[in-house]
Amino acid sequence: MFDTHELGRRPGALQRLSRSVEAPAALGVEGVIGVPEGAPVEIDLRLESVMEGVLVTGTARASAEGECVRCLEPVELELDVDFQEMFSYPDSDDRGRSRAAADDEAEEGEDMIPLEDGMFDLEPLLRDAVVLALPMQPVCRDDCAGLCSECGANLNENPDHHHDAVDARWAALQGLAGSLGTDEKDNMSGKASDGDVRSAAEKQEK
């Protein structure tokens, strides 16, 4: 939680804050990549008092960790994200008027997060900014070759790795061709035997 009491409510007042906080749980894309829980997150904030409330503009820096979707090697990504949010005063509507005066005139406006006793919670805002900045399919490098689909070998370490693949559609024909070749050899052997018998018979007649 961050305190805005020192800022005051005079429009145009500014306050700058720098703080290192611990990353909350599940700060990132679950199961893909994110900032480890408890890791440091460096935050720089600019608080500006306006008629409606407090405009918070900030930057967060942290290191995200994950796994390459191609080769499954560890991936580390340095994050530098920007965010901005308006936090409204509890007794003001979205145009800076008192809520009592606004009750007589309902108008549509953007939803703003109310300050709670002059405090605001940055975690939801930080979480949204980090998730939007993270890749949904992280890779260790843009040209990562991934893993061999047959044996799982890392193709980045062995780019010449390959398997002599046989098209399954031709496998049956190759087997049939092999059996036909064997039958032909048998037939040839049979013909040769018949010829030898006839030759022997002719010699006996002579």
Side-chain angles (χ1 to χ4, degrees):
M1 299 290 287
F2 288 80
D3 193 344
T4 66
H5 286 101
E6 292 185 10
L7 176 66
R9 295 184 60 162
R10 181 174 58 84
L14 294 175
Q15 183 182 11
R16 297 183 183 276
L17 299 174
S18 294
R19 189 178 300 179
S20 179
V21 301
E22 293 185 355
L27 183 59
V29 183
E30 186 177 358
V32 180
I33 189 170
V35 180
E37 182 177 0
V41 180
E42 303 298 329
I43 297 177
D44 293 324
L45 296 179
R46 178 178 184 270
L47 279 57
E48 182 179 0
S49 178
V50 295
M51 290 294 295
E52 299 90 341
V54 177
L55 178 63
V56 177
T57 305
T59 300
R61 290 175 294 276
S63 295
E65 298 177 1
E67 190 177 76
C68 177
V69 296
R70 297 178 187 172
C71 68
L72 307 183
E73 290 294 319
V75 172
E76 185 170 337
L77 180 65
E78 295 299 321
L79 292 176
D80 194 336
V81 299
D82 298 324
F83 51 86
Q84 186 175 71
E85 185 64 75
M86 175 71 75
F87 294 89
S88 65
Y89 296 126
D91 57 349
S92 298
D93 69 358
D94 62 333
R95 294 182 181 274
R97 302 169 302 175
S98 66
R99 291 196 183 279
D103 288 340
D104 297 331
E105 184 180 344
E107 295 183 5
E108 294 183 358
E110 295 182 357
D111 293 334
M112 292 188 292
I113 304 172
L115 292 167
E116 298 181 6
D117 192 22
M119 309 282 287
F120 66 89
D121 185 6
L122 194 63
E123 183 177 325
L125 184 59
L126 177 62
R127 192 180 299 279
D128 290 344
V130 169
V131 170
L132 290 174
L134 289 172
M136 296 301 295
Q137 293 187 320
V139 292
C140 58
R141 64 181 198 228
D142 291 340
D143 61 346
C144 176
L147 302 177
C148 174
S149 59
E150 294 190 31
C151 67
N154 192 326
L155 300 180
N156 296 311
E157 300 174 355
N158 186 6
D160 296 327
H161 174 83
H162 70 281
H163 296 271
D164 294 328
V166 177
D167 194 324
R169 294 172 297 179
W170 297 104
L173 292 178
Q174 289 181 341
L176 179 61
S179 64
L180 289 175
T182 302
D183 292 341
E184 289 180 358
K185 289 181 180 179
D186 292 340
N187 292 336
M188 291 296 292
S189 298
K191 290 179 181 179
S193 298
D194 294 341
D196 293 342
V197 171
R198 286 197 296 271
S199 298
E202 290 174 357
K203 288 181 181 181
Q204 288 180 355
E205 289 177 359
K206 293 179 179 179

